[in-house]
Amino acid sequence: MEFREVAGRKIRLPSLDRDELAAGAPGLRGEFDLTRVAITGGNCAEVTGEGSIAESVLSNVDLSRSRLAPLELSNVHLVDTELSNATLPATTARRVHVEASRGIGVHLVFRQASDFLAEGCRFDYATIELERVKQAVVFQGCSFREAMFLGDLSTVAFVECDLEGAEFAVRRAADCDLRSSNLRAVRGLRTLTGAKISTEQAVAIAVSLATQTGLVVED
């Protein structure tokens, strides 16, 4: 069992030995149930499907413009996966590690996220909603330029992420950690009650925050 601690959150990572996984094909069309497989490569662009992936590794799989719903991920490692413009509106993720992947313009709704880590990923122009957060949820070194966030960001950590131009319209943000991320031109600051930012960030966003709360800032 492997754990990683990031920004004070202890994340339980997928426990997988690729040598013990069967080689599989990316059969994600229609109904699917993939368990203990290693899938490398494959074009699943524009597929429509529903099902579950468990105890598996997916590498270099193209899921762009796909629609997968509902989708359940459990003990899964996604590497160099293409999710750009995909629609994933009913996703459950437990012990999931997403690494060096792209979800530009993805529409992603987490019904539940638990022990979820995304690092080195691009989610520019994405719409991401978290309905329920359990355990640790961390985005590390990810880009969310012009992205939209909805739902519950309580306890979620954004570590060294680029959030420039992102918009927040969340219902809860208690203990959301934004302290090391770029918040330039962020919108919806009023919805981030209880989130953590640094003193330096507070100074940088002061004018924007004042404007968004209805104040008129004049020299």
Side-chain angles (χ1 to χ4, degrees), residues 114-195:
S114 175
D115 286 316
F116 178 89
L117 172 64
E119 58 179 339
C121 298
R122 287 190 64 192
F123 296 110
D124 302 331
Y125 308 104
T127 299
I128 297 176
E129 179 174 359
L130 290 97
E131 294 182 351
R132 187 181 182 193
V133 175
K134 293 182 65 178
Q135 305 302 328
V137 174
V138 175
F139 298 96
Q140 183 173 27
C142 295
S143 177
F144 294 97
R145 287 183 168 237
E146 303 289 338
M148 165 71 82
F149 291 94
L150 304 164
D152 186 357
L153 293 184
S154 300
T155 74
V156 175
F158 294 87
V159 181
E160 298 179 350
C161 292
D162 185 357
L163 292 159
E164 182 167 349
E167 182 172 357
F168 292 86
V170 301
R171 65 176 185 274
R172 297 184 62 211
D175 201 30
C176 175
D177 193 341
L178 299 162
R179 290 175 293 178
S180 61
S181 293
N182 174 20
L183 301 181
R184 180 173 178 175
V186 163
R187 293 164 289 166
L189 292 168
R190 297 177 65 180
T191 73
L192 292 172
T193 301

Side-chain angles (χ1 to χ4, degrees), residues 9 20 25 37 46 53 62-63 68 85 87 98 110 152 159-160 163 165 177 179 191 205 214:
R9 274 77 166 167
E20 296 180 357
V37 296
E46 301 183 346
I53 305 173
D62 184 359
L63 290 166
L68 303 176
N85 296 311
T87 302
V98 185
F110 288 103
D152 186 357
V159 181
E160 298 179 350
L163 292 159
D177 193 341
R179 290 175 293 178
T191 73
I205 67 172

Side-chain angles (χ1 to χ4, degrees), residues 189 200-213 215 217:
L189 292 168
E200 183 179 353
Q201 287 172 315
V203 172
I205 67 172
V207 172
S208 179
L209 179 58
T211 301
Q212 291 179 40
T213 56
L215 297 175
V217 180

Side-chain angles (χ1 to χ4, degrees), residues 99-110:
E99 187 177 3
S101 297
R102 290 156 302 284
I104 298 171
V106 67
H107 178 78
L108 173 59
V109 179
F110 288 103

Side-chain angles (χ1 to χ4, degrees), residues 8-116:
R9 274 77 166 167
K10 183 175 284 189
I11 305 170
R12 186 181 179 189
L13 295 176
S15 180
L16 300 164
D17 185 343
R18 294 195 65 146
D19 292 337
E20 296 180 357
L21 303 179
L28 299 175
R29 190 183 303 275
E31 296 185 7
F32 56 85
D33 182 1
L34 302 178
T35 303
R36 297 188 61 77
V37 296
I39 299 172
T40 301
N43 186 355
C44 290
E46 301 183 346
V47 299
T48 298
E50 61 178 280
S52 63
I53 305 173
E55 301 179 61
S56 299
V57 178
L58 276 67
S59 303
N60 194 28
V61 176
D62 184 359
L63 290 166
S64 60
R65 303 180 303 283
S66 62
R67 180 180 176 86
L68 303 176
L71 174 64
E72 183 169 348
L73 303 173
S74 179
N75 202 24
V76 172
H77 189 189
L78 304 177
V79 185
D80 192 22
T81 300
E82 182 63 71
L83 292 165
S84 294
N85 296 311
T87 302
L88 310 171
T91 300
T92 300
R94 304 183 186 90
R95 213 184 326 160
V96 174
H97 184 191
V98 185
E99 187 177 3
S101 297
R102 290 156 302 284
I104 298 171
V106 67
H107 178 78
L108 173 59
V109 179
F110 288 103
R111 286 180 171 172
Q112 180 176 309
S114 175
D115 286 316
F116 178 89

